[in-house]
């Protein structure tokens, strides 16, 4: 098949391109090479067709879709951002870009889509109260964060909660602009599928890391920020108390998940979508991740700062059982192996 990968020159997209070509697919890349993600032009693999264009430009999208069998939509502005002033850029890149792409796919008769989703659509993860069972904690309060009370209490009785694994059926609760745009992408894609008889798999990535992450940018993931600090000879700065639980999944496993989802689209009914968590199944705290990187790199030990970002959530870890059971995907890179590799892996200019 000929697969169009939007954002295929980016961090995750470039690994997906490699995985698809290794699986025997022909690949075409559409990427605007925006300066926020690309300080220099990245290498394009031999035999891969490249279109330098913005996914928001309908004519360029139409040209890139010619002869295409399926699309892996990775192009997006990522990360929490710096402040609400980023909102127009996020909505433009993520939601308008997705709308233009879907309109082009409808016109071109392309009916298969793998969408890069995100775990941020859930807001906080799964929590259980000893007295009230599974509960949804409310928004984090500035007064609590300032006082170092980072764990969300039970909204009914104030008791300490036990974090667990979030499933795809959990309620959606986007808590920042980026999260809202990622949820909108899913809704737009599902509407497209219903209207056209298409099929869409939305892969809700958890904390992706690995070779080729951009360095020194507020839009990068926390793993990249820590790795960049170590490269500068600085100690990683860990926010809150370092106890935030996350699922760190290696980019090569994410690329394999995209290949599996592409193959699995045939099993979906026409006009439907299916969401899949993509996580390692090995929850770790942010503090543990920073320590593992620092030790593998041989750099300064992390510093726990007590700082916070109001849009962050405390715990969010994935159950990827649906992806394993339905599509036969399993992660191949362990936390220890992945962090050891990432500690010395090359980063890209951000």
């Amino acid at each position: 098949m000929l697969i169009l990968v939007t954002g295929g020159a980016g961090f995750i997209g470039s690994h997906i391109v490699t995985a698809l070509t290794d699986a025997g697919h022909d690949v075409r890349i559409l990427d605007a090479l925006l300066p926020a993600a690309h300080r220099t032009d990245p290498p394009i693999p031999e035999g891969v067709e490249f279109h330098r264009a913005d996914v928001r430009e309908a004519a360029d999208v139409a040209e890139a879709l010619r002869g295409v069998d399926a699309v892996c939509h990775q192009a997006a502005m990522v990360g929490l951002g710096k402040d609400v002033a980023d909102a127009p850029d996020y909505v433009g890149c993520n939601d308008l870009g997705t709308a233009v792409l879907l309109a082009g796919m409808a016109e071109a008769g392309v009916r298969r889509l793998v969408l890069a989703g995100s775990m941020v659509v859930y807001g906080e993860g799964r929590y259980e109260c000893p007295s009230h069972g599974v509960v949804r904690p409310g928004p984090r309060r500035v007064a609590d964060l300032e006082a170092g009370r980072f764990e969300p209490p039970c909204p009914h009785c104030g008791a300490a909660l036990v974090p667990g694994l979030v499933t795809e059926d959990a309620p959606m609760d986007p808590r920042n602009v980026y999260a809202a745009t990622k949820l909108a992408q899913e809704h737009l894609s599902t509407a497209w599928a219903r209207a056209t008889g298409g099929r869409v798999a939305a892969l809700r990535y958890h904390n992706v890391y690995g070779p080729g992450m951009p360095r020194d940018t507020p839009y990068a993931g926390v793993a990249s920020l820590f790795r960049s600090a170590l490269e500068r000879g600085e100690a990683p700065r860990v926010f809150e108390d370092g106890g935030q639980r996350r699922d760190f999944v290696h980019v090569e496993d994410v690329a394999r998940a995209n290949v599996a989802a592409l193959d699995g689209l045939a099993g979906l009914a026409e006009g439907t979508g299916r969401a899949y968590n993509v996580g390692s199944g090995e929850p770790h705290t942010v503090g543990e991740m920073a320590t593992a990187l620092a030790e593998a790199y041989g750099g300064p030990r992390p510093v726990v700062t007590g700082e916070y970002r109001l849009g962050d959530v405390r715990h969010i870890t994935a159950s990827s059982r649906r992806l394993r059971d339905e599509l036969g995907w399993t992660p191949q890179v362990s936390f220890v192996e992945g962090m050891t590799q990432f500690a010395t892996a090359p980063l890209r200019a951000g």
Side-chain angles (χ1 to χ4, degrees), residues 95 120-121 174-185 187:
D95 298 342
V120 296
V121 298
R175 296 196 173 190
N176 55 62
V177 170
Y178 169 63
T181 66
K182 296 306 291 184
L183 182 55
Q185 284 185 304
H187 288 322

Side-chain angles (χ1 to χ4, degrees), residues 68-69 104-112:
V68 163
D69 298 296
M105 292 175 66
E107 179 67 22
V110 181
R111 298 292 182 261
R112 284 177 282 188

Side-chain angles (χ1 to χ4, degrees), residues 219-236:
Y219 303 100
V222 66
S224 176
L225 296 177
F226 292 167
R227 173 69 171 74
S228 298
L230 289 166
E231 198 170 71
R232 296 192 302 269
E234 301 171 3

Side-chain angles (χ1 to χ4, degrees), residues 127-206:
Y127 293 89
E128 190 166 347
C129 171
S131 300
H132 296 96
V134 176
V135 297
R136 298 286 294 177
R140 304 173 83 187
R141 301 189 307 169
V142 172
D144 288 336
L145 298 172
E146 290 285 354
R149 295 188 295 268
F150 301 119
E151 295 289 345
C154 174
H156 306 295
C157 66
L161 299 175
V162 178
L165 302 181
V166 67
T167 67
E168 292 86 352
D169 296 325
M172 302 293 99
D173 186 18
R175 296 196 173 190
N176 55 62
V177 170
Y178 169 63
T181 66
K182 296 306 291 184
L183 182 55
Q185 284 185 304
E186 289 197 27
H187 288 322
L188 287 167
S189 298
T190 302
W192 161 83
R194 290 194 187 103
T196 64
R199 300 176 173 93
V200 55
L203 301 183
R204 293 174 180 164
Y205 302 156
H206 283 246

